[in-house]
Each structure stands twice: as structure tokens, then as C-alpha cells.
Amino acid sequence: MSVDPWALIALCALVTVAIKAAGPVALGGRPLPRRLTGVIVLLAPTLLAALVVTGVAGREGELQVGAEAVGVAAGGAIAWRGGSILVCVVVAAVLTAALRALS
Amino acid sequence: MSGARAGIDRPAFRRGLRAGIPFALAGGLLSLSFGALAVDSGFPVAAAIAMSAVVFAGSAQFAAVSIAASGGGLGAATVAAALMNSRFLPMGIALGPSLPGGPVRRGVEGQAVVDASWAMAARPDGSFDRSFLLGSTAVQYVTWVAGTVAGAIGADAIGDLDRFGLDAVYPTFFLVLLVAELRAGRGRGAAAGGALVALALIPLAPPGVPVLAASLVALAGVRRGARPAAGTDPHGGGRPR
């Protein structure tokens, strides 16, 4: 590895703290404009869907789909049927590992 | 800094703690793979643990370490982490009005935003249950650091993470949160739009940008205004079981 881990940690901590603080520092005490609440409600499903897609298909900036897509889909199906997140995550990992072991 | 608003609503905090436990356990599995990956990539064990303790943002940590491991520089790795975390900017803007006190205090409490807590603490009217959020994040922080300790120390024994399917943990974590939103009937179109935007940008943009760009899809909600509350439960439908 070419970089100093401690420098990387310090920089990552700095940008993370700044990003998380920005909204609350700028926008306290005032209610959000009514028009924006509709945006906020849609923000979570939008961001989560994007994180799922990039987590499954976006490895190192390329579109790739492998065994983990099957595992993740199975985890999602269990979640849809009301399973707990721990079960979903464990099934996803075990199924992915099994598919890799077989292939 | 007095008044009811500035204090912690203990029952809500405890509800947050309990609701956060399953996510904390799943997050522990995630941070276990982070710890192993970081040590595998050349991080000293102490550095891997320190990163989880002070950065506490899974996707950013994975992105920064992966880029550093593949020969990227300090700037590229930091920018990737910032981009992965850029979603916390709109999330913090949404949360801001629900935080009490002056700017410094609000900025400090804003550090408690993590995906699961933020999504679960959201009320249908666009405000947030701050005590619930703090409780949910507290338990997730503990397992995040503990999982990293286990992964970093056990990195040699764990070996290749993909062999155990641990790379499926991270997307599944977010998918479970998404399913809770979709089951409540919220934002199905926005979720589909966000997924498509992210998918289209993966080959074109650096890591982090597809997620940030996808968040713009939520602007489709701008004219609809506040939706009528589905029920009196402050976490109506948004809380996964």
C-alpha cells in the first residue's frame, strides 16, 4: 500500500465529520420548507436502492454481477417476507459462499 | 440549553437501542469483513480499529481502503470516502430541524447519522425522532468497533473474504432497509429511478458518484409536499422487524 494509513484515517475522519455536521449546523431550529418534506420522504428509498445496486454490481467502477447477487436477492426475499436482518444477512453470505464453492 | 426538547427522551432512546440491535449485529459482520480487508491491505491492526472508531461509515471505509490497496493515492482514497459519505449531506439537512441547541451541539449530534438509524427515526411528516436515532446509533457503534477488532485480529485466519460470501453482507444490509420502505408503500418509483441512475453511472463515474447522483431522483417529491401521516406511530411502517 502506497499511502500512510494514519494520514488516510485522519483525512477520512475529517471529511466525514464535516459532511455529517454541515446540514445540522446550517439548518437548526427552523422547520424544513413544506415543499421539501416530500423530497426527504423519497430520499431514503432512493439512496438505499442506489447503495444496493452499487454494492452488488459496481466493483472497482465496472458493472459486474456474480454469486453475491443471488445471495443478496435471497436476503431481500426473506426481508420481504418479514425475516430479521440478521437472518437475511447470514443467508445471503452462506448462499454466496456455497455458490462460489460449487462453481 | 434547558427545556424538554434538548433532553433525551429515555423511552424513545431505549426503543432506538432495541430497534438498532439487529442492525448492530449485521453491522458487526460487516465491520468484521472491513477489519480483515484493512489488515489484508496492509493496515496495522490498530489502524484498522482506529478507522472504524473515528470514521464510523462503512461504505466510506471500504471505498478508501480498497482504493489505497489498489495503489491509489491519499487524495483519491479520501475523495472516494467523501463521495460515499456525500449522502449524509442531504440526510443531515433533513435531520437538522429536529436537533436542538446551537450550531456546535447540532453538528455534534449530527455525527449520529448512520443509514439504519436515520431511516428508522424518520417520521412520516418529515421530522425525526432524535432520541430514537441516538439510541439506535449507540448500539450500532459498539458492534461496529467490536466487529472490526475481531476482523483485524483474525485477518490471517479469515483469509479470503469472498470465500465466506462476506461481500454479500453489505448490499444485503441496505436491501433490508430498502424493503422496509417499499413494504410501507413509500417511494417505489423513486427507488426504481435511483437504482437505474446508479446502474447507468457505475461504468462512467468514480465510486460514490452514482449514489450521490441517484439521490437527485428524490427531488421528484418536491411538489407533493408533506404526505398525510399513515398512522399515529411515529415510526409508522418505517421500522423493519
Side-chain angles (χ1 to χ4, degrees), chain A residues 16 24 35 59 80 100, chain B residues 85 106 113 162 167 183 222:
Chain A
T16 304
R35 273 163 19 108
R59 285 200 165 186
W80 187 265
R100 289 208 178 110
Chain B
N85 279 343
R106 292 198 306 269
V113 169
D162 287 4
D167 53 328
R183 278 168 60 106
V222 76

Side-chain angles (χ1 to χ4, degrees), chain A residues 1-4 7-9 11-12 15, chain B residues 51 59-85 205-209:
Chain A
M1 187 161 56
S2 50
V3 305
D4 173 13
L8 181 61
I9 292 168
L11 285 173
C12 286
V15 296
Chain B
M51 188 169 201
S59 54
Q61 290 176 227
F62 274 105
V65 168
S66 314
I67 287 174
S70 59
L74 207 52
T78 306
V79 167
L83 286 172
M84 291 310 295
N85 279 343
V209 170

Side-chain angles (χ1 to χ4, degrees), chain B residues 97-128:
Chain B
S98 302
L99 296 180
V104 173
R105 173 166 179 180
R106 292 198 306 269
V108 169
E109 291 198 3
Q111 303 304 314
V113 169
V114 293
D115 301 279
S117 302
W118 182 86
M120 287 191 291
R123 297 189 181 112
D125 65 357
S127 71
F128 286 80

Side-chain angles (χ1 to χ4, degrees), chain A residues 6-94:
Chain A
W6 295 102
L8 181 61
I9 292 168
L11 285 173
C12 286
L14 218 59
V15 296
T16 304
V17 167
I19 289 169
K20 284 189 176 181
V25 167
L27 275 177
R30 282 172 285 160
L32 210 61
R34 216 179 130 73
R35 273 163 19 108
L36 281 186
T37 57
V39 176
I40 302 305
V41 168
L42 292 187
L43 202 51
T46 310
L47 283 171
L48 292 168
L51 284 166
V52 172
V53 166
T54 53
V56 171
R59 285 200 165 186
E60 282 133 34
E62 282 173 43
L63 271 178
Q64 286 179 12
V65 179
E68 74 275 10
V70 180
V72 172
I78 294 170
W80 187 265
R81 305 200 54 162
S84 99
I85 182 167
L86 199 58
V87 176
C88 298
V89 162
V90 169
V91 167
V94 169

